Amino acid sequence: HFLFDLAFTGDAPEWQDEGFPTLRGTIIIGDYAEDFLAPLGPWQRADYERHWIEAGRRLVAGADRTAFITVAFQFWWPMWRDGDDVILTEELLWFSRGAATLDPIHPFDVISDWSALSEDGDPVSHWRCQVADVAGFIHRRGESYGAV
């Protein structure tokens, strides 16, 4: 059981009613797990996987924030470093955040500062893991994701 993992759960694309292929994946943070469908087209499998390793390496190397895109240009998981802890939350990538011009390799410039409250003052759902958990993810997945 890993405290942080991010992976596709199958190799065969699932075709959506709208006529585009997706790959099913799962993000695991401690006891929390969420499935997602990543569209193929804007990015292919290797693009997602390389991005995940690069994002994880940034955080482990000392960056105060990074993000894992799970649904190209639609959803991502920003991460903020808090000492040896990592705070994660899932966000919709709004065009006002720069999604229309988001650099797919280094999208990190548009990540805002961490806040436990939304713009409306409501608590933001978030999860925690350790920097060491992200380092373990890189160690386990880096070579198979083509990012050695």
Side-chain angles (χ1 to χ4, degrees):
H1 176 68
F2 302 115
L3 295 179
F4 180 79
D5 201 21
L6 181 56
F8 290 114
T9 55
D11 292 327
E14 296 179 25
W15 285 87
Q16 301 306 302
D17 292 340
E18 297 83 2
F20 62 90
T22 61
L23 283 176
R24 185 170 301 277
T26 301
I27 186 169
I28 297 170
I29 311 160
D31 292 333
Y32 178 78
E34 182 172 303
D35 292 338
F36 59 88
L37 287 174
L40 302 176
W43 279 8
Q44 297 301 308
R45 179 185 191 122
D47 299 312
Y48 285 102
E49 292 172 342
R50 276 192 303 271
H51 161 74
W52 297 339
I53 295 301
E54 170 66 23
R57 284 181 175 158
R58 272 180 50 84
L59 192 81
V60 171
D64 66 341
R65 65 193 73 188
T66 193
F68 293 94
I69 295 173
T70 52
V71 180
F73 309 108
Q74 294 177 29
F75 287 97
W76 69 349
W77 287 82
M79 304 174 80
W80 295 267
R81 193 178 180 129
D82 183 21
D84 290 335
D85 290 342
V86 178
I87 303 166
L88 299 95
T89 188
E90 185 179 31
E91 288 186 356
L92 180 63
L93 274 169
W94 293 98
F95 286 104
S96 62
R97 280 197 92 121
T101 58
L102 193 68
D103 177 345
I105 304 302
H106 302 287
F108 317 112
D109 292 341
V110 298
I111 302 171
S112 59
D113 291 339
W114 164 247
S115 175
L117 299 176
S118 70
E119 292 177 359
D120 299 328
D122 297 321
V124 173
S125 295
H126 64 280
W127 295 264
R128 286 183 174 263
C129 67
Q130 300 282 303
V131 172
D133 300 325
V134 177
F137 159 75
I138 295 165
H139 179 74
R140 281 190 317 281
R141 299 286 187 181
E143 188 173 335
S144 67
Y145 285 2
V148 289

